[in-house]
Amino acid sequence: MAQAQTTQAGTEAHGGAHAADAAFPPFATETFAGQIIWLAITFALLYTLLSKLVLPRLSGIIENRRALIAKDLDEAAAMKTRAEEAGVAYEKALAEAKGRAQALAQETRAKLAAESDAKRKALEADLNKRLAESEAAISAKKTEAMSHVRGIAAETATAIVERLTGKAPAPQVVEAALEQAKA
């Protein structure tokens, strides 16, 4: 009990009893008049500052931008007109150039076709001659190669048997095996 009395006495000594009754300072009714006066002074000062300094500068900047945009739009319209005129002139020049190019191409095509026919006929004759010579050479090489096939087969069979068994077979045995495989 003595301890509860000292705690209550300590709370009252530090203003604890009045702390619960005190209101939030902006909501205290005793300071409303002063707060309203300062609000009016601050509002009037800010309004004057904005209307005399900030707004004239902003309106000047907006007007400059508006003028610059209008100037840019006028320049863009003029450039568009010039571009359209240049496009029409380009299309006309292009059509004329195409006509001249087609005429020149037709003339050149006729000349080249005649020259090409003459060269083609000469080339075909030369190629036919070379083809006949090549076919004869290939036939001769083929006949010669086929004559060596039996010898190569005998050598290969001998080498395989020697590799597998460790000694070479007799040539007559290899020839007999080749004859048997041929039949």
Side-chain angles (χ1 to χ4, degrees):
M1 174 94 132
Q3 189 178 10
Q5 287 178 349
T6 51
T7 307
Q8 185 178 7
T11 306
E12 288 178 9
H14 293 297
H18 297 292
D21 294 340
F24 182 58
F27 296 143
T29 55
E30 302 85 39
T31 60
F32 273 169
Q35 290 177 12
I36 289 177
I37 290 172
W38 279 110
L39 175 69
I41 292 170
T42 305
F43 180 78
L45 184 63
L46 283 175
Y47 180 80
T48 305
L49 180 68
L50 285 175
S51 66
K52 299 295 181 190
L53 297 176
V54 176
L55 290 178
R57 287 183 184 174
L58 283 178
S59 63
I61 290 170
I62 290 171
E63 278 304 313
N64 288 341
R65 279 207 171 156
R66 187 174 293 134
L68 183 62
I69 290 171
K71 179 183 154 201
D72 288 345
L73 288 174
D74 291 342
E75 287 178 6
M79 286 183 187
K80 181 181 176 188
T81 304
R82 282 184 276 171
E84 288 173 353
E85 291 170 357
V88 169
Y90 168 75
E91 292 295 329
K92 182 180 176 184
L94 184 63
E96 290 174 2
K98 281 184 181 179
R100 286 190 306 247
Q102 287 177 352
L104 182 61
Q106 187 63 28
E107 181 182 319
T108 305
R109 194 176 302 121
K111 285 181 187 177
L112 291 176
E115 289 176 11
S116 176
D117 265 352
K119 286 182 182 179
R120 184 180 49 81
K121 288 178 182 177
L123 186 60
E124 282 179 357
D126 184 45
L127 287 176
N128 286 336
K129 178 183 165 191
R130 286 184 181 181
L131 183 62
E133 291 172 357
S134 295
E135 285 177 351
I138 289 171
S139 178
K141 292 287 184 181
K142 183 178 178 183
T143 303
E144 181 183 343
M146 291 307 281
S147 68
H148 296 304
V149 168
R150 186 160 181 93
I152 293 171
E155 289 175 14
T156 304
T158 302
I160 291 172
V161 170
E162 184 178 356
R163 175 86 174 185
L164 291 174
T165 62
K167 65 184 210 182
Q172 297 83 8
V173 173
V174 174
E175 286 296 324
L178 288 176
E179 283 299 322
Q180 187 180 11
K182 187 178 181 183

